[in-house]
mmCIF file of all heavy atoms in Angstrom:
data_model
loop_
_atom_site.group_PDB
_atom_site.id
_atom_site.type_symbol
_atom_site.label_atom_id
_atom_site.label_comp_id
_atom_site.label_asym_id
_atom_site.label_seq_id
_atom_site.Cartn_x
_atom_site.Cartn_y
_atom_site.Cartn_z
ATOM 1 N N GLN A 15 311.601 162.796 175.182
ATOM 2 C CA GLN A 15 312.227 162.165 176.345
ATOM 3 C C GLN A 15 312.033 160.651 176.324
ATOM 4 O O GLN A 15 312.932 159.896 176.706
ATOM 5 C CB GLN A 15 311.643 162.732 177.640
ATOM 6 C CG GLN A 15 312.219 164.081 178.007
ATOM 7 C CD GLN A 15 311.692 164.554 179.356
ATOM 8 O OE1 GLN A 15 310.637 164.112 179.803
ATOM 9 N NE2 GLN A 15 312.424 165.456 179.980
ATOM 10 N N ARG A 16 310.858 160.226 175.865
ATOM 11 C CA ARG A 16 310.592 158.796 175.780
ATOM 12 C C ARG A 16 311.554 158.137 174.780
ATOM 13 O O ARG A 16 312.109 157.082 175.033
ATOM 14 C CB ARG A 16 309.145 158.561 175.344
ATOM 15 C CG ARG A 16 308.706 157.131 175.520
ATOM 16 C CD ARG A 16 307.236 156.913 175.199
ATOM 17 N NE ARG A 16 306.390 157.995 175.687
ATOM 18 C CZ ARG A 16 305.367 158.497 175.007
ATOM 19 N NH1 ARG A 16 305.041 158.016 173.826
ATOM 20 N NH2 ARG A 16 304.642 159.473 175.502
ATOM 21 N N ARG A 17 311.765 158.785 173.657
ATOM 22 C CA ARG A 17 312.700 158.268 172.641
ATOM 23 C C ARG A 17 314.125 158.232 173.216
ATOM 24 O O ARG A 17 314.845 157.262 173.001
ATOM 25 C CB ARG A 17 312.651 159.138 171.396
ATOM 26 C CG ARG A 17 313.616 158.699 170.317
ATOM 27 C CD ARG A 17 313.057 158.958 168.925
ATOM 28 N NE ARG A 17 314.017 158.751 167.886
ATOM 29 C CZ ARG A 17 314.368 157.561 167.396
ATOM 30 N NH1 ARG A 17 313.819 156.475 167.893
ATOM 31 N NH2 ARG A 17 315.250 157.450 166.427
ATOM 32 N N PHE A 18 314.490 159.282 173.918
ATOM 33 C CA PHE A 18 315.820 159.319 174.538
ATOM 34 C C PHE A 18 315.969 158.167 175.531
ATOM 35 O O PHE A 18 316.997 157.501 175.579
ATOM 36 C CB PHE A 18 316.058 160.661 175.230
ATOM 37 C CG PHE A 18 317.381 160.742 175.916
ATOM 38 C CD1 PHE A 18 318.556 160.918 175.189
ATOM 39 C CD2 PHE A 18 317.470 160.618 177.297
ATOM 40 C CE1 PHE A 18 319.775 160.979 175.820
ATOM 41 C CE2 PHE A 18 318.696 160.666 177.938
ATOM 42 C CZ PHE A 18 319.859 160.848 177.196
ATOM 43 N N HIS A 19 314.928 157.928 176.304
ATOM 44 C CA HIS A 19 314.950 156.854 177.290
ATOM 45 C C HIS A 19 315.105 155.492 176.590
ATOM 46 O O HIS A 19 315.864 154.627 177.055
ATOM 47 C CB HIS A 19 313.680 156.889 178.139
ATOM 48 C CG HIS A 19 313.643 155.877 179.223
ATOM 49 N ND1 HIS A 19 314.496 155.906 180.304
ATOM 50 C CD2 HIS A 19 312.866 154.778 179.395
ATOM 51 C CE1 HIS A 19 314.249 154.882 181.088
ATOM 52 N NE2 HIS A 19 313.256 154.187 180.560
ATOM 53 N N LEU A 20 314.402 155.284 175.475
ATOM 54 C CA LEU A 20 314.522 154.036 174.725
ATOM 55 C C LEU A 20 315.936 153.863 174.161
ATOM 56 O O LEU A 20 316.506 152.771 174.205
ATOM 57 C CB LEU A 20 313.508 153.997 173.584
ATOM 58 C CG LEU A 20 312.058 153.798 173.988
ATOM 59 C CD1 LEU A 20 311.140 153.949 172.775
ATOM 60 C CD2 LEU A 20 311.855 152.440 174.640
ATOM 61 N N LEU A 21 316.499 154.938 173.632
ATOM 62 C CA LEU A 21 317.852 154.877 173.086
ATOM 63 C C LEU A 21 318.866 154.578 174.188
ATOM 64 O O LEU A 21 319.835 153.841 173.973
ATOM 65 C CB LEU A 21 318.214 156.178 172.375
ATOM 66 C CG LEU A 21 317.509 156.420 171.047
ATOM 67 C CD1 LEU A 21 317.832 157.816 170.519
ATOM 68 C CD2 LEU A 21 317.897 155.363 170.030
ATOM 69 N N GLU A 22 318.635 155.145 175.352
ATOM 70 C CA GLU A 22 319.526 154.882 176.486
ATOM 71 C C GLU A 22 319.456 153.406 176.883
ATOM 72 O O GLU A 22 320.476 152.777 177.185
ATOM 73 C CB GLU A 22 319.147 155.774 177.670
ATOM 74 C CG GLU A 22 320.067 155.682 178.851
ATOM 75 C CD GLU A 22 321.464 156.225 178.580
ATOM 76 O OE1 GLU A 22 321.626 157.059 177.675
ATOM 77 O OE2 GLU A 22 322.394 155.806 179.288
ATOM 78 N N GLY A 23 318.273 152.838 176.857
ATOM 79 C CA GLY A 23 318.107 151.411 177.149
ATOM 80 C C GLY A 23 318.819 150.550 176.115
ATOM 81 O O GLY A 23 319.462 149.551 176.454
ATOM 82 N N ASP A 24 318.704 150.933 174.847
ATOM 83 C CA ASP A 24 319.399 150.203 173.783
ATOM 84 C C ASP A 24 320.907 150.278 173.977
ATOM 85 O O ASP A 24 321.613 149.288 173.790
ATOM 86 C CB ASP A 24 319.040 150.774 172.408
ATOM 87 C CG ASP A 24 317.632 150.424 171.972
ATOM 88 O OD1 ASP A 24 317.008 149.543 172.601
ATOM 89 O OD2 ASP A 24 317.163 151.039 171.000
ATOM 90 N N ARG A 25 321.396 151.441 174.340
ATOM 91 C CA ARG A 25 322.833 151.611 174.552
ATOM 92 C C ARG A 25 323.314 150.722 175.689
ATOM 93 O O ARG A 25 324.329 150.049 175.591
ATOM 94 C CB ARG A 25 323.160 153.073 174.859
ATOM 95 C CG ARG A 25 324.672 153.348 174.996
ATOM 96 C CD ARG A 25 324.955 154.658 175.706
ATOM 97 N NE ARG A 25 324.466 154.715 177.066
ATOM 98 C CZ ARG A 25 325.078 154.149 178.127
ATOM 99 N NH1 ARG A 25 326.171 153.468 177.973
ATOM 100 N NH2 ARG A 25 324.561 154.273 179.333
ATOM 101 N N LYS A 26 322.544 150.692 176.747
ATOM 102 C CA LYS A 26 322.911 149.878 177.906
ATOM 103 C C LYS A 26 322.906 148.393 177.538
ATOM 104 O O LYS A 26 323.825 147.651 177.906
ATOM 105 C CB LYS A 26 321.953 150.145 179.064
ATOM 106 C CG LYS A 26 322.315 149.398 180.313
ATOM 107 C CD LYS A 26 321.374 149.720 181.452
ATOM 108 C CE LYS A 26 321.748 148.918 182.685
ATOM 109 N NZ LYS A 26 320.813 149.097 183.782
ATOM 110 N N ALA A 27 321.912 147.957 176.812
ATOM 111 C CA ALA A 27 321.832 146.552 176.401
ATOM 112 C C ALA A 27 323.012 146.191 175.492
ATOM 113 O O ALA A 27 323.615 145.121 175.634
ATOM 114 C CB ALA A 27 320.517 146.285 175.682
ATOM 115 N N PHE A 28 323.343 147.077 174.567
ATOM 116 C CA PHE A 28 324.479 146.832 173.677
ATOM 117 C C PHE A 28 325.772 146.762 174.479
ATOM 118 O O PHE A 28 326.615 145.894 174.241
ATOM 119 C CB PHE A 28 324.568 147.929 172.613
ATOM 120 C CG PHE A 28 325.732 147.766 171.689
ATOM 121 C CD1 PHE A 28 325.704 146.824 170.676
ATOM 122 C CD2 PHE A 28 326.880 148.536 171.845
ATOM 123 C CE1 PHE A 28 326.784 146.656 169.825
ATOM 124 C CE2 PHE A 28 327.969 148.380 171.008
ATOM 125 C CZ PHE A 28 327.920 147.435 169.987
ATOM 126 N N TYR A 29 325.934 147.654 175.439
ATOM 127 C CA TYR A 29 327.133 147.665 176.272
ATOM 128 C C TYR A 29 327.259 146.348 177.051
ATOM 129 O O TYR A 29 328.327 145.741 177.088
ATOM 130 C CB TYR A 29 327.097 148.855 177.238
ATOM 131 C CG TYR A 29 328.228 148.852 178.230
ATOM 132 C CD1 TYR A 29 329.500 149.277 177.862
ATOM 133 C CD2 TYR A 29 328.033 148.405 179.532
ATOM 134 C CE1 TYR A 29 330.551 149.257 178.765
ATOM 135 C CE2 TYR A 29 329.083 148.375 180.444
ATOM 136 C CZ TYR A 29 330.335 148.815 180.055
ATOM 137 O OH TYR A 29 331.370 148.777 180.949
ATOM 138 N N GLU A 30 326.159 145.912 177.647
ATOM 139 C CA GLU A 30 326.186 144.674 178.423
ATOM 140 C C GLU A 30 326.490 143.474 177.534
ATOM 141 O O GLU A 30 327.271 142.594 177.911
ATOM 142 C CB GLU A 30 324.866 144.487 179.163
ATOM 143 C CG GLU A 30 324.681 145.472 180.304
ATOM 144 C CD GLU A 30 323.304 145.406 180.938
ATOM 145 O OE1 GLU A 30 322.447 144.619 180.452
ATOM 146 O OE2 GLU A 30 323.077 146.135 181.916
ATOM 147 N N ALA A 31 325.899 143.431 176.354
ATOM 148 C CA ALA A 31 326.166 142.332 175.419
ATOM 149 C C ALA A 31 327.634 142.350 174.984
ATOM 150 O O ALA A 31 328.271 141.297 174.891
ATOM 151 C CB ALA A 31 325.250 142.435 174.201
ATOM 152 N N SER A 32 328.169 143.525 174.757
ATOM 153 C CA SER A 32 329.566 143.648 174.357
ATOM 154 C C SER A 32 330.494 143.190 175.473
ATOM 155 O O SER A 32 331.478 142.487 175.226
ATOM 156 C CB SER A 32 329.906 145.097 173.987
ATOM 157 O OG SER A 32 329.147 145.511 172.878
ATOM 158 N N GLN A 33 330.181 143.561 176.698
ATOM 159 C CA GLN A 33 331.007 143.153 177.827
ATOM 160 C C GLN A 33 330.956 141.638 178.013
ATOM 161 O O GLN A 33 331.974 141.006 178.309
ATOM 162 C CB GLN A 33 330.548 143.859 179.116
ATOM 163 C CG GLN A 33 330.818 145.347 179.111
ATOM 164 C CD GLN A 33 332.291 145.662 178.922
ATOM 165 O OE1 GLN A 33 333.148 145.132 179.607
ATOM 166 N NE2 GLN A 33 332.581 146.531 177.973
#
Side-chain angles (χ1 to χ4, degrees):
Q15 281 185 338
R16 192 175 320 140
R17 178 147 171 79
F18 178 76
H19 183 67
L20 288 173
L21 288 174
E22 185 67 24
D24 287 347
R25 184 198 62 79
K26 183 178 178 185
F28 178 77
Y29 174 79
E30 289 173 357
S32 297
Q33 292 302 309

